[in-house]
Amino acid sequence: MKETLRQLCSPILKPLESGEVGPNYKASHRTILNVVGVLFLTLSTISTGALLYTGQLGALVPVLVFLGIGGLSLIVGVLGKDAAVSRMWGNR
């Protein structure tokens, strides 16, 4: 199942997985990336509620931004290799 999902998300994962694992990579970076992804998806859900409540089309911008950041974080955190997590975290 994980390999099927990796193939579906390969356009996102391939550029991030090119290269090597950064020198400061820790296993906890993956956990933090997953937590941040869940938090952003929660913000997206709350923003969707606000969009439905107010009916203002301008509230769609935070929904899309939070959904994109949260989705990307979870895709890389759950399906990505260590090199992808390291690139998302930063190779400093």
Side-chain angles (χ1 to χ4, degrees), residues 34-57:
N34 288 334
V35 169
V36 166
V38 169
L39 289 174
F40 271 101
L41 288 179
T42 303
L43 282 172
S44 175
T45 304
I46 292 168
S47 296
T48 303
L51 169 69
L52 295 174
Y53 179 73
T54 63
Q56 297 285 331
L57 198 55

PDB file of all heavy atoms in Angstrom, residues 34-57:
ATOM      1  N   ASN A  34       5.360  15.420  10.741  1.00  0.00           N
ATOM      2  CA  ASN A  34       4.017  14.848  10.776  1.00  0.00           C
ATOM      3  C   ASN A  34       3.086  15.649  11.684  1.00  0.00           C
ATOM      4  O   ASN A  34       1.925  15.884  11.346  1.00  0.00           O
ATOM      5  CB  ASN A  34       4.058  13.388  11.222  1.00  0.00           C
ATOM      6  CG  ASN A  34       4.643  12.490  10.155  1.00  0.00           C
ATOM      7  OD1 ASN A  34       4.593  12.791   8.974  1.00  0.00           O
ATOM      8  ND2 ASN A  34       5.212  11.384  10.581  1.00  0.00           N
ATOM      9  N   VAL A  35       3.580  16.077  12.833  1.00  0.00           N
ATOM     10  CA  VAL A  35       2.766  16.868  13.760  1.00  0.00           C
ATOM     11  C   VAL A  35       2.401  18.208  13.140  1.00  0.00           C
ATOM     12  O   VAL A  35       1.249  18.656  13.223  1.00  0.00           O
ATOM     13  CB  VAL A  35       3.502  17.053  15.111  1.00  0.00           C
ATOM     14  CG1 VAL A  35       2.810  18.076  15.984  1.00  0.00           C
ATOM     15  CG2 VAL A  35       3.608  15.719  15.839  1.00  0.00           C
ATOM     16  N   VAL A  36       3.358  18.839  12.488  1.00  0.00           N
ATOM     17  CA  VAL A  36       3.090  20.123  11.823  1.00  0.00           C
ATOM     18  C   VAL A  36       2.058  19.925  10.709  1.00  0.00           C
ATOM     19  O   VAL A  36       1.158  20.745  10.524  1.00  0.00           O
ATOM     20  CB  VAL A  36       4.399  20.733  11.277  1.00  0.00           C
ATOM     21  CG1 VAL A  36       4.128  21.869  10.313  1.00  0.00           C
ATOM     22  CG2 VAL A  36       5.263  21.207  12.429  1.00  0.00           C
ATOM     23  N   GLY A  37       2.152  18.819   9.981  1.00  0.00           N
ATOM     24  CA  GLY A  37       1.176  18.525   8.938  1.00  0.00           C
ATOM     25  C   GLY A  37      -0.231  18.383   9.486  1.00  0.00           C
ATOM     26  O   GLY A  37      -1.189  18.923   8.923  1.00  0.00           O
ATOM     27  N   VAL A  38      -0.358  17.676  10.602  1.00  0.00           N
ATOM     28  CA  VAL A  38      -1.672  17.519  11.226  1.00  0.00           C
ATOM     29  C   VAL A  38      -2.194  18.864  11.728  1.00  0.00           C
ATOM     30  O   VAL A  38      -3.385  19.173  11.580  1.00  0.00           O
ATOM     31  CB  VAL A  38      -1.603  16.483  12.375  1.00  0.00           C
ATOM     32  CG1 VAL A  38      -2.866  16.486  13.207  1.00  0.00           C
ATOM     33  CG2 VAL A  38      -1.352  15.090  11.807  1.00  0.00           C
ATOM     34  N   LEU A  39      -1.327  19.678  12.301  1.00  0.00           N
ATOM     35  CA  LEU A  39      -1.754  21.000  12.771  1.00  0.00           C
ATOM     36  C   LEU A  39      -2.247  21.877  11.614  1.00  0.00           C
ATOM     37  O   LEU A  39      -3.271  22.556  11.741  1.00  0.00           O
ATOM     38  CB  LEU A  39      -0.616  21.696  13.515  1.00  0.00           C
ATOM     39  CG  LEU A  39      -0.260  21.111  14.881  1.00  0.00           C
ATOM     40  CD1 LEU A  39       0.972  21.807  15.442  1.00  0.00           C
ATOM     41  CD2 LEU A  39      -1.419  21.230  15.831  1.00  0.00           C
ATOM     42  N   PHE A  40      -1.548  21.857  10.502  1.00  0.00           N
ATOM     43  CA  PHE A  40      -1.981  22.654   9.358  1.00  0.00           C
ATOM     44  C   PHE A  40      -3.283  22.118   8.762  1.00  0.00           C
ATOM     45  O   PHE A  40      -4.118  22.892   8.304  1.00  0.00           O
ATOM     46  CB  PHE A  40      -0.885  22.736   8.297  1.00  0.00           C
ATOM     47  CG  PHE A  40       0.053  23.885   8.502  1.00  0.00           C
ATOM     48  CD1 PHE A  40       1.307  23.687   9.067  1.00  0.00           C
ATOM     49  CD2 PHE A  40      -0.301  25.161   8.140  1.00  0.00           C
ATOM     50  CE1 PHE A  40       2.178  24.735   9.263  1.00  0.00           C
ATOM     51  CE2 PHE A  40       0.565  26.230   8.328  1.00  0.00           C
ATOM     52  CZ  PHE A  40       1.800  26.020   8.898  1.00  0.00           C
ATOM     53  N   LEU A  41      -3.458  20.808   8.759  1.00  0.00           N
ATOM     54  CA  LEU A  41      -4.730  20.263   8.274  1.00  0.00           C
ATOM     55  C   LEU A  41      -5.873  20.630   9.217  1.00  0.00           C
ATOM     56  O   LEU A  41      -7.001  20.866   8.771  1.00  0.00           O
ATOM     57  CB  LEU A  41      -4.631  18.747   8.093  1.00  0.00           C
ATOM     58  CG  LEU A  41      -3.776  18.289   6.918  1.00  0.00           C
ATOM     59  CD1 LEU A  41      -3.722  16.768   6.857  1.00  0.00           C
ATOM     60  CD2 LEU A  41      -4.283  18.855   5.610  1.00  0.00           C
ATOM     61  N   THR A  42      -5.590  20.701  10.506  1.00  0.00           N
ATOM     62  CA  THR A  42      -6.600  21.158  11.469  1.00  0.00           C
ATOM     63  C   THR A  42      -6.960  22.616  11.207  1.00  0.00           C
ATOM     64  O   THR A  42      -8.140  22.987  11.221  1.00  0.00           O
ATOM     65  CB  THR A  42      -6.074  20.978  12.905  1.00  0.00           C
ATOM     66  OG1 THR A  42      -5.738  19.603  13.107  1.00  0.00           O
ATOM     67  CG2 THR A  42      -7.113  21.400  13.921  1.00  0.00           C
ATOM     68  N   LEU A  43      -5.948  23.440  10.957  1.00  0.00           N
ATOM     69  CA  LEU A  43      -6.208  24.838  10.617  1.00  0.00           C
ATOM     70  C   LEU A  43      -7.028  24.948   9.330  1.00  0.00           C
ATOM     71  O   LEU A  43      -7.901  25.813   9.213  1.00  0.00           O
ATOM     72  CB  LEU A  43      -4.896  25.606  10.458  1.00  0.00           C
ATOM     73  CG  LEU A  43      -4.203  26.021  11.741  1.00  0.00           C
ATOM     74  CD1 LEU A  43      -2.831  26.607  11.426  1.00  0.00           C
ATOM     75  CD2 LEU A  43      -5.026  27.018  12.500  1.00  0.00           C
ATOM     76  N   SER A  44      -6.763  24.083   8.389  1.00  0.00           N
ATOM     77  CA  SER A  44      -7.523  24.088   7.145  1.00  0.00           C
ATOM     78  C   SER A  44      -8.986  23.737   7.405  1.00  0.00           C
ATOM     79  O   SER A  44      -9.886  24.345   6.821  1.00  0.00           O
ATOM     80  CB  SER A  44      -6.915  23.096   6.160  1.00  0.00           C
ATOM     81  OG  SER A  44      -7.702  22.995   5.001  1.00  0.00           O
ATOM     82  N   THR A  45      -9.218  22.783   8.286  1.00  0.00           N
ATOM     83  CA  THR A  45     -10.592  22.408   8.633  1.00  0.00           C
ATOM     84  C   THR A  45     -11.317  23.552   9.325  1.00  0.00           C
ATOM     85  O   THR A  45     -12.478  23.846   9.022  1.00  0.00           O
ATOM     86  CB  THR A  45     -10.585  21.156   9.539  1.00  0.00           C
ATOM     87  OG1 THR A  45      -9.869  20.112   8.867  1.00  0.00           O
ATOM     88  CG2 THR A  45     -11.987  20.698   9.857  1.00  0.00           C
ATOM     89  N   ILE A  46     -10.638  24.216  10.239  1.00  0.00           N
ATOM     90  CA  ILE A  46     -11.238  25.357  10.934  1.00  0.00           C
ATOM     91  C   ILE A  46     -11.520  26.483   9.944  1.00  0.00           C
ATOM     92  O   ILE A  46     -12.587  27.112   9.989  1.00  0.00           O
ATOM     93  CB  ILE A  46     -10.321  25.827  12.082  1.00  0.00           C
ATOM     94  CG1 ILE A  46     -10.265  24.765  13.174  1.00  0.00           C
ATOM     95  CG2 ILE A  46     -10.785  27.161  12.650  1.00  0.00           C
ATOM     96  CD1 ILE A  46      -9.191  24.996  14.207  1.00  0.00           C
ATOM     97  N   SER A  47     -10.591  26.717   9.027  1.00  0.00           N
ATOM     98  CA  SER A  47     -10.798  27.760   8.020  1.00  0.00           C
ATOM     99  C   SER A  47     -11.953  27.408   7.083  1.00  0.00           C
ATOM    100  O   SER A  47     -12.688  28.295   6.639  1.00  0.00           O
ATOM    101  CB  SER A  47      -9.527  27.958   7.195  1.00  0.00           C
ATOM    102  OG  SER A  47      -8.484  28.420   8.014  1.00  0.00           O
ATOM    103  N   THR A  48     -12.127  26.130   6.794  1.00  0.00           N
ATOM    104  CA  THR A  48     -13.268  25.704   5.975  1.00  0.00           C
ATOM    105  C   THR A  48     -14.572  25.986   6.697  1.00  0.00           C
ATOM    106  O   THR A  48     -15.551  26.439   6.085  1.00  0.00           O
ATOM    107  CB  THR A  48     -13.154  24.211   5.629  1.00  0.00           C
ATOM    108  OG1 THR A  48     -11.918  23.979   4.953  1.00  0.00           O
ATOM    109  CG2 THR A  48     -14.306  23.756   4.765  1.00  0.00           C
ATOM    110  N   GLY A  49     -14.590  25.736   7.994  1.00  0.00           N
ATOM    111  CA  GLY A  49     -15.781  26.071   8.785  1.00  0.00           C
ATOM    112  C   GLY A  49     -16.075  27.559   8.750  1.00  0.00           C
ATOM    113  O   GLY A  49     -17.233  27.977   8.618  1.00  0.00           O
ATOM    114  N   ALA A  50     -15.028  28.374   8.852  1.00  0.00           N
ATOM    115  CA  ALA A  50     -15.218  29.821   8.784  1.00  0.00           C
ATOM    116  C   ALA A  50     -15.707  30.240   7.397  1.00  0.00           C
ATOM    117  O   ALA A  50     -16.549  31.133   7.273  1.00  0.00           O
ATOM    118  CB  ALA A  50     -13.911  30.538   9.118  1.00  0.00           C
ATOM    119  N   LEU A  51     -15.197  29.585   6.359  1.00  0.00           N
ATOM    120  CA  LEU A  51     -15.641  29.880   4.999  1.00  0.00           C
ATOM    121  C   LEU A  51     -17.121  29.576   4.834  1.00  0.00           C
ATOM    122  O   LEU A  51     -17.881  30.375   4.285  1.00  0.00           O
ATOM    123  CB  LEU A  51     -14.819  29.061   4.000  1.00  0.00           C
ATOM    124  CG  LEU A  51     -15.307  29.023   2.548  1.00  0.00           C
ATOM    125  CD1 LEU A  51     -15.126  30.386   1.909  1.00  0.00           C
ATOM    126  CD2 LEU A  51     -14.564  27.972   1.762  1.00  0.00           C
ATOM    127  N   LEU A  52     -17.542  28.438   5.343  1.00  0.00           N
ATOM    128  CA  LEU A  52     -18.947  28.068   5.232  1.00  0.00           C
ATOM    129  C   LEU A  52     -19.836  28.969   6.085  1.00  0.00           C
ATOM    130  O   LEU A  52     -20.963  29.281   5.703  1.00  0.00           O
ATOM    131  CB  LEU A  52     -19.137  26.603   5.625  1.00  0.00           C
ATOM    132  CG  LEU A  52     -18.457  25.585   4.701  1.00  0.00           C
ATOM    133  CD1 LEU A  52     -18.599  24.186   5.266  1.00  0.00           C
ATOM    134  CD2 LEU A  52     -19.017  25.674   3.295  1.00  0.00           C
ATOM    135  N   TYR A  53     -19.339  29.373   7.237  1.00  0.00           N
ATOM    136  CA  TYR A  53     -20.120  30.223   8.143  1.00  0.00           C
ATOM    137  C   TYR A  53     -20.298  31.629   7.574  1.00  0.00           C
ATOM    138  O   TYR A  53     -21.393  32.182   7.600  1.00  0.00           O
ATOM    139  CB  TYR A  53     -19.454  30.279   9.518  1.00  0.00           C
ATOM    140  CG  TYR A  53     -20.178  31.145  10.507  1.00  0.00           C
ATOM    141  CD1 TYR A  53     -21.378  30.728  11.076  1.00  0.00           C
ATOM    142  CD2 TYR A  53     -19.677  32.385  10.863  1.00  0.00           C
ATOM    143  CE1 TYR A  53     -22.056  31.524  11.982  1.00  0.00           C
ATOM    144  CE2 TYR A  53     -20.335  33.195  11.765  1.00  0.00           C
ATOM    145  CZ  TYR A  53     -21.530  32.746  12.331  1.00  0.00           C
ATOM    146  OH  TYR A  53     -22.203  33.545  13.220  1.00  0.00           O
ATOM    147  N   THR A  54     -19.203  32.204   7.061  1.00  0.00           N
ATOM    148  CA  THR A  54     -19.273  33.590   6.588  1.00  0.00           C
ATOM    149  C   THR A  54     -19.725  33.701   5.135  1.00  0.00           C
ATOM    150  O   THR A  54     -20.310  34.699   4.752  1.00  0.00           O
ATOM    151  CB  THR A  54     -17.900  34.287   6.707  1.00  0.00           C
ATOM    152  OG1 THR A  54     -16.966  33.614   5.871  1.00  0.00           O
ATOM    153  CG2 THR A  54     -17.425  34.316   8.143  1.00  0.00           C
ATOM    154  N   GLY A  55     -19.435  32.698   4.344  1.00  0.00           N
ATOM    155  CA  GLY A  55     -19.777  32.748   2.938  1.00  0.00           C
ATOM    156  C   GLY A  55     -18.880  33.671   2.129  1.00  0.00           C
ATOM    157  O   GLY A  55     -19.154  33.938   0.961  1.00  0.00           O
ATOM    158  N   GLN A  56     -17.819  34.170   2.736  1.00  0.00           N
ATOM    159  CA  GLN A  56     -16.876  35.060   2.050  1.00  0.00           C
ATOM    160  C   GLN A  56     -15.900  34.218   1.222  1.00  0.00           C
ATOM    161  O   GLN A  56     -15.242  33.325   1.746  1.00  0.00           O
ATOM    162  CB  GLN A  56     -16.086  35.887   3.067  1.00  0.00           C
ATOM    163  CG  GLN A  56     -16.936  36.806   3.892  1.00  0.00           C
ATOM    164  CD  GLN A  56     -17.387  38.013   3.088  1.00  0.00           C
ATOM    165  OE1 GLN A  56     -16.707  38.436   2.168  1.00  0.00           O
ATOM    166  NE2 GLN A  56     -18.549  38.547   3.452  1.00  0.00           N
ATOM    167  N   LEU A  57     -15.817  34.514  -0.056  1.00  0.00           N
ATOM    168  CA  LEU A  57     -14.937  33.750  -0.933  1.00  0.00           C
ATOM    169  C   LEU A  57     -13.463  33.976  -0.605  1.00  0.00           C
ATOM    170  O   LEU A  57     -12.619  33.132  -0.887  1.00  0.00           O
ATOM    171  CB  LEU A  57     -15.212  34.109  -2.387  1.00  0.00           C
ATOM    172  CG  LEU A  57     -14.714  33.124  -3.423  1.00  0.00           C
ATOM    173  CD1 LEU A  57     -15.250  31.727  -3.146  1.00  0.00           C
ATOM    174  CD2 LEU A  57     -15.104  33.570  -4.799  1.00  0.00           C
TER     175      LEU A  57
END
